[in-house]
Amino acid sequence: MPSGHFAFRRIAAIVLLAVAAPWVHAWQAGAKSWATAPLLLEGLGKGTFTLSGPWQFHPGDDPAWASPTFDSSNWEQLSADQPWGKQGHAHLIGFAWYRCSIALVRAPGAPQEFSLLMPNIHDSYEIYWNGSQVGGNGKLPPRPVWYVSQPMQTFELGAVRLNQVQHGVLAVRVWKAPLLSDDSGELGGFDTAPLIGSPEAIATAKAAFEFQWLRSRQLHFGANLLCAVIAFLSFLLWLRAPGRWVLFWMTGFAIAQPAILLLVNAHLGLSYSLAMGTGQPLIAMQDVSLWYLLLWLLSLHENRAICRITRIFAYIYILSEILDGVLVAFSWNPRWTGLAQVSDDVLTISAFLFEVFPLVLVAYALFHRKQFNSSRWLVAILAFLDEMLLVFSYTVKQGRQFTGWSIADKVDSPLFSFDGNGISLGTLAGTLLLAAIVYAVYNSVREDQRRQDALELEKMELLHESNRMRHHAEHDGLTGLWNHRVIVERLGEEMVRSLRDGTALSVILADIDHFKMVNDTFGHLAGDLVLKEIGTVFARTLRPYDCVGRYGGEEFLLILPNCGMESALMRGEQLRAAVQSARIRDGETLLQVTASFGVASVLPSQNEAETVIRAVDAALYRAKSCGRNCIMQAEMATSICNG
């Protein structure tokens, strides 16, 4: 029995071993191939191959992990079509490695060289092929540099021999920047899988990706280009009319978004520090511009208290955003990371309060203003809705790395697509608000222009009336010549100038002969006609810089600068002859008159107009005593010059 029982157990063990051995061997071989089997790419050169994985993945950093002989079979496996944050490594920052074993078989007739097309990787990286670095993007610590927006990168991997299987290990060393307040914690590493293929195929694939990227953003770029045009035109109009501050704030509001687009989303390859350090103040500038636009469009700029509060908030907001941009730019430094994150949280809270401020302005305007036109009502309503959406989105994004809320992504996701361009709720609300503001600013400028034109017209009318009243105050109402007061003042001014410059000055006092007889014979209307015509004769005969005025009654005072006695006597004779030859018609009646003249040349000792007028009046009296229609020289001492 014992020997038989033992034999039976031996036979059973042998049978079990024979059955189990192949199964165990197959399981071990399968497990080994699952962990280390290379990704076979046959027909390399016919097109592109997607390296979606699986990739061996491990957090941390060790330069030895780039070696093709390093055994990474015990590493975790991840796919390359989504970030590591969505594959069980949320909130992972710092270094991590990807490794992928590849077996390449070149297609007959295909180019010998092959290339790699790397998509966007968060945040900076280095690429190793068989242990040798073939490229990278940005810089890794200790002084990292990474980019917020740039196209896919192409790297050359070398040559593949024909009719041979070439093995290689592709390793990617990745560094993820520290998380800030609005980071979801779901990013890191690959966004999409890289492509491998011939240089021509990779170039074609890259061009196709870039075309699709441009096509999906053409409406976005077009809208921002329109914003830039609006900003440029608003600025030009503001330069022409600096008092219209609504155009200045329209410029700030419209230009901020295109500037942010160039910094963050235009594939210009700007570093994160530069883009975010500049973008934060630009966001503050756009918000502050919106505040002042609301002040002007909702007629709140007349409220000094509201304006003072807005100005204080604007200074604080812009300074805090500049500080936030600086701290974000230095958040990578381990010495500053903690301070930057804490400061970012604090500044985020203050920024949230500033984001609410437009709602306060709109609410105040709605409750305290009784009348708005349709364009301003539209601005108020759309500004309220847009800011509500912005505040909500801003709130749910903060701290989502801890809350896990995905509602912010749903808010930012497109409501619909137009020709491949996604239109989100925020984009729609912002576009409608911009259109409403542009329309309201246009109406405001047009209303201001109407008011300005009305004021200019009123100003011209007032100026015209003022000139008319001034003319009546300074001119004789009948002859249109200077009146008594003004002509005497002009004489005093000319005497001062003559004494100062040492130039000659002469004065003529003319009187119409027998003027009372004209009034008595032909009537006062005829006398008035004679006065007007004789005044016209004097004005026409004198030089442009001579002065003539109605001194009183039928007397005229003439001032002749730069004219000595001899020249004045000659001028008096010309005037006498002109008066005598004048033919004045009053209907069918022909009137003909003469005039007597007294002429004086001003002396240095005569510094008062009254003295000169007495002298010339005495000369006129002698002319009348001598038979009229003649010229008499005033009896004075030596004149200034003889002309």
Side-chain angles (χ1 to χ4, degrees):
M1 286 293 295
S3 61
H5 182 67
F6 178 74
F8 176 76
R9 287 191 299 175
R10 289 186 62 186
I11 294 172
I14 292 172
V15 172
L16 181 62
L17 180 61
V19 174
W23 179 81
V24 171
H25 177 73
W27 178 82
Q28 291 175 344
K32 183 177 180 180
S33 62
W34 177 78
T36 61
L39 180 63
L40 180 61
L41 304 180
E42 295 184 288
L44 185 66
K46 292 182 178 181
T48 59
F49 293 87
T50 303
L51 302 179
S52 56
W55 288 69
Q56 307 295 113
F57 174 80
H58 192 68
D61 186 40
D62 189 341
W65 295 348
S67 173
T69 60
F70 177 77
D71 183 14
S72 59
S73 59
N74 61 340
W75 283 12
E76 180 184 0
Q77 289 189 340
L78 298 181
S79 65
D81 55 2
Q82 57 182 343
W84 69 50
K86 294 184 178 180
Q87 301 183 73
H89 292 278
H91 312 148
L92 176 62
I93 61 173
F95 283 99
W97 283 72
Y98 289 91
R99 285 173 56 91
C100 182
S101 298
I102 306 173
L104 306 172
V105 180
R106 181 160 64 94
Q112 185 178 4
E113 303 293 327
F114 67 104
S115 302
L116 181 70
L117 182 62
M118 292 297 291
N120 186 35
I121 293 182
H122 300 282
D123 284 307
S124 56
Y125 61 88
E126 294 175 346
I127 299 176
Y128 297 86
W129 174 245
N130 288 332
S132 300
Q133 183 177 347
V134 295
N137 192 31
K139 295 181 181 179
L140 302 181
R143 298 190 66 84
V145 175
W146 68 104
Y147 306 101
V148 291
S149 175
Q150 61 176 169
M152 293 181 169
Q153 305 297 308
T154 302
F155 304 99
E156 302 297 328
L157 296 184
V160 177
R161 292 184 294 273
L162 186 62
N163 299 325
Q164 293 187 18
V165 179
Q166 182 168 332
H167 294 270
V169 174
L170 187 64
V172 183
R173 183 189 184 197
V174 182
W175 178 81
K176 178 71 178 71
L179 302 178
L180 296 175
S181 61
D182 60 344
D183 288 328
S184 64
E186 295 182 348
L187 299 180
F190 290 110
D191 273 344
T192 55
L195 300 179
I196 192 171
S198 65
E200 293 79 5
I202 290 298
T204 301
K206 183 178 181 181
F209 278 117
E210 291 179 351
F211 173 77
Q212 184 59 36
W213 179 81
L214 286 172
R215 182 182 178 184
S216 65
R217 289 163 175 79
Q218 57 185 345
L219 287 182
H220 185 53
F221 289 157
N224 280 271
L225 179 60
L226 180 60
C227 287
V229 172
I230 292 172
F232 179 71
L233 294 178
S234 299
F235 184 69
L236 290 181
L237 292 174
W238 177 73
L239 289 178
R240 293 187 59 186
R244 293 176 178 170
W245 286 101
V246 67
L247 293 171
F248 177 82
W249 299 116
M250 183 72 240
T251 301
F253 180 75
I255 199 60
Q257 197 59 43
I260 294 172
L261 170 70
L262 292 176
L263 288 172
V264 180
N265 296 316
H267 279 182
L268 295 183
L270 301 177
S271 68
Y272 179 86
S273 300
L274 175 61
M276 298 306 295
T278 309
Q280 295 293 101
L282 282 174
I283 293 174
M285 183 187 75
Q286 185 180 36
D287 290 341
V288 170
S289 298
L290 177 61
W291 298 355
Y292 279 96
L293 278 173
L294 293 176
L295 285 182
W296 281 88
L297 295 178
L298 302 183
S299 301
L300 298 177
H301 61 283
E302 301 170 356
N303 189 315
R304 293 187 177 181
I306 293 293
C307 290
R308 188 180 302 109
I309 293 173
T310 303
R311 184 167 56 252
I312 294 173
F313 280 10
Y315 288 142
I316 297 175
Y317 188 24
I318 291 176
L319 290 176
S320 65
E321 288 303 293
I322 292 175
L323 178 61
D324 193 24
V326 172
L327 291 173
V328 167
F330 287 93
S331 61
W332 57 268
N333 193 319
R335 292 181 301 175
W336 300 100
T337 298
L339 175 62
Q341 290 177 329
V342 172
S343 301
D344 184 57
D345 293 337
V346 174
L347 293 174
T348 296
I349 296 174
S350 64
F352 172 78
L353 299 177
F354 291 126
E355 292 290 348
V356 177
F357 187 62
L359 299 178
V360 177
L361 293 177
V362 173
Y364 184 88
L366 293 178
F367 282 105
H368 289 80
R369 306 296 299 185
K370 295 183 179 180
Q371 292 183 350
F372 283 139
N373 58 30
S374 58
S375 63
R376 303 194 181 199
W377 272 111
L378 188 61
V379 168
I381 294 172
L382 289 177
F384 187 84
L385 294 178
D386 180 74
E387 289 301 316
M388 283 291 293
L389 178 63
L390 184 63
V391 169
F392 175 76
S393 176
Y394 191 84
T395 303
V396 297
K397 284 182 180 179
Q398 302 305 316
R400 56 181 172 174
Q401 55 183 288
F402 307 109
T403 62
W405 290 348
S406 61
I407 189 170
D409 297 329
K410 295 180 180 179
V411 171
D412 293 338
S413 61
L415 293 175
F416 59 91
S417 296
F418 179 78
D419 194 24
N421 294 260
I423 308 298
S424 66
L425 184 60
T427 301
L428 189 61
T431 303
L432 292 176
L433 176 60
L434 176 64
I437 288 177
V438 170
Y439 179 61
V441 169
Y442 169 75
N443 282 340
S444 175
V445 171
R446 191 169 61 175
E447 292 173 2
D448 287 346
Q449 187 62 46
R450 289 200 193 102
R451 287 194 293 267
Q452 185 70 23
D453 292 342
L455 289 175
E456 288 294 333
L457 180 59
E458 183 179 357
K459 180 180 178 181
M460 292 297 296
E461 292 176 349
L462 290 174
L463 181 61
H464 177 73
E465 182 65 20
S466 175
N467 290 335
R468 189 182 66 83
M469 295 177 65
R470 178 180 175 184
H471 179 83
H472 285 302
E474 295 179 345
H475 292 77
D476 176 60
L478 179 62
T479 62
L481 303 177
W482 297 114
N483 60 24
H484 177 89
R485 177 183 61 83
V486 176
I487 195 63
V488 173
E489 290 177 355
R490 291 299 302 270
L491 175 58
E493 294 171 359
E494 289 296 334
M495 289 178 65
V496 172
R497 188 177 67 83
S498 173
L499 182 62
R500 182 185 67 241
D501 299 340
T503 58
L505 176 66
S506 296
V507 179
I508 299 177
L509 184 63
D511 181 83
I512 300 176
D513 297 330
H514 303 296
F515 183 72
K516 183 175 182 305
M517 184 183 299
V518 174
N519 283 332
D520 294 341
T521 304
F522 302 101
H524 286 84
L525 292 179
D528 292 344
L529 180 60
V530 169
L531 289 174
K532 288 193 292 185
E533 290 297 327
I534 297 304
T536 303
V537 169
F538 288 159
R540 185 172 59 242
T541 306
L542 295 178
R543 298 170 299 178
Y545 50 87
D546 293 335
C547 299
V548 57
R550 186 179 178 188
Y551 187 72
E554 63 274 19
E555 293 182 336
F556 297 86
L557 184 64
L558 298 90
I559 305 173
L560 309 177
N562 299 318
C563 184
M565 177 57 73
E566 293 184 6
S567 298
L569 291 173
M570 294 174 58
R571 185 61 52 82
E573 178 58 29
Q574 293 173 355
L575 294 172
R576 187 200 63 76
V579 172
Q580 184 177 3
S581 60
R583 298 294 184 266
I584 305 171
R585 288 192 174 276
D586 182 18
E588 298 297 328
T589 304
L590 179 63
L591 302 175
Q592 187 173 6
V593 296
T594 60
S596 301
F597 297 84
V599 180
S601 188
V602 179
L603 300 176
S605 60
Q606 297 164 343
N607 53 8
E608 292 184 0
E610 184 178 352
T611 304
V612 176
I613 292 175
R614 283 199 187 99
V616 77
D617 185 57
L620 175 62
Y621 181 77
R622 287 191 292 108
K624 286 185 172 292
S625 300
C626 292
R628 296 182 174 84
N629 193 22
C630 63
I631 303 170
M632 284 292 175
Q633 178 180 347
E635 295 180 355
M636 305 176 68
T638 312
S639 61
I640 291 178
C641 74
N642 295 324

